[in-house]
């Protein structure tokens, strides 16, 4: 009898300067997540310290930094982007709160967290928590239109299907509107 193993990976792509980054999630609760990048000549390079840890969730570029959110360990790994490629800088612990996606606006990070049902507001320069915005469910994707922040709640706190998008004021950290959308 033959046995087959399926490996599920989520690939995220982020474009920065002349580099393109690819993040491979790896297997859940395994330390085999990996980071890769392509340079302007389309040469592929392995990221520093591959594999980089457990359950890589997402990544975000801000100035010359690449922030990689590690869901399994609750770390944000920070890399420096230069003309020579990518170099690991350090990690910032977010206390294993089920981090998902990070949005950066003017050195302030907005991090969606499943285990706390909130959006954590971070001062990325001081690496401290500034505020926590209760989400009323498991916040997932996070984007901005330049004026407001929008966060999807595709699962409720009890893990049932969610159906809302929150509109948040990035200055006051207040939810200013909630939109009802299709489930999940």
């Amino acid at each position: 009898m033959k046995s087959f193993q399926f490996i599920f990976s989520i690939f995220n792509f982020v474009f920065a300067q002349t580099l393109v980054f690819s993040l491979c999630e790896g297997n859940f609760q395994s330390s085999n997540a990996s980071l890769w990048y392509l340079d302007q000549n389309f040469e592929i390079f392995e990221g520093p310290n591959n594999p980089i840890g457990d359950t890589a969730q997402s990544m975000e570029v801000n100035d010359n930094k690449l922030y990689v959110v590690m869901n399994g360990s609750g770390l944000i790994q920070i890399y420096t982007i230069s003309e020579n490629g990518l170099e690991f800088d350090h990690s910032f612990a977010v206390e294993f709160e089920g981090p998902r996606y990070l949005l950066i606006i003017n050195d302030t990070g907005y991090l969606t967290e499943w285990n706390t049902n909130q959006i954590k507001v971070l001062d990325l320069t001081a690496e401290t928590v500034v505020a926590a915005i209760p989400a009323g469910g498991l916040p997932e994707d996070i984007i901005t239109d330049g004026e407001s922040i929008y966060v999807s709640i595709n699962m409720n706190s009890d893990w049932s299907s969610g159906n809302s998008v929150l509109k948040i004021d990035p200055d006051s950290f207040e939810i200013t509107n909630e939109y009802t959308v299709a489930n999940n």
Side-chain angles (χ1 to χ4, degrees):
M1 180 169 173
K2 289 187 175 182
S3 171
F4 295 96
Q5 179 180 3
F6 293 95
I7 298 174
F8 180 75
S9 293
I10 294 177
F11 294 97
N12 290 307
F13 293 97
V14 174
F15 301 89
Q17 299 168 356
T18 57
L19 301 178
V20 177
F21 300 101
S22 177
L23 182 63
C24 302
E25 178 183 49
N27 299 90
F28 185 68
Q29 295 183 333
S30 296
S31 295
N32 62 352
S34 60
L35 177 64
W36 302 83
Y37 63 98
L38 284 80
D39 69 6
Q40 62 275 10
N41 298 317
F42 301 103
E43 291 184 57
I44 299 173
F45 295 93
E46 188 172 4
N49 307 324
N50 260 349
I52 61 172
D54 60 338
T55 320
Q57 184 65 46
S58 63
M59 59 186 160
E60 181 77 11
V61 172
N62 186 52
D63 294 328
N64 70 329
K65 298 288 185 189
L66 172 67
Y67 296 81
V68 177
V69 176
M70 305 299 292
N71 179 280
S73 60
L75 294 174
I76 298 175
Q77 294 188 2
I78 303 168
Y79 298 82
T80 300
I81 304 166
S82 71
E83 292 177 9
N84 299 326
L86 192 64
E87 182 179 315
F88 179 75
D89 192 316
H90 68 286
S91 295
F92 170 39
V94 292
E95 305 304 320
F96 192 68
E97 301 295 353
R100 304 293 290 175
Y101 291 90
L102 177 67
L103 172 70
I104 301 172
I105 302 172
N106 300 325
D107 294 323
T108 299
Y110 300 86
L111 181 66
T112 60
E113 294 181 338
W114 275 15
N115 295 354
T116 62
N117 293 268
Q118 65 187 7
I119 297 100
K120 201 174 266 179
V121 182
L122 308 169
D123 177 334
L124 293 176
T125 304
E127 295 184 357
T128 58
V129 176
V130 175
I133 305 166
L138 282 66
E140 184 73 2
D141 297 315
I142 183 167
I143 61 171
T144 184
D145 63 2
E147 293 180 22
S148 298
I149 295 171
Y150 299 88
V151 177
S152 65
I153 308 296
N154 62 357
M155 284 195 289
N156 297 314
S157 298
D158 63 1
W159 295 77
S160 62
S161 295
N163 64 348
S164 62
V165 172
L166 306 178
K167 181 179 180 180
I168 299 169
D169 181 326
D171 297 321
S172 68
F173 312 134
E174 297 291 322
I175 296 171
T176 59
N177 207 341
E178 184 171 345
Y179 305 96
T180 301
V181 295
N183 284 345
N184 293 76

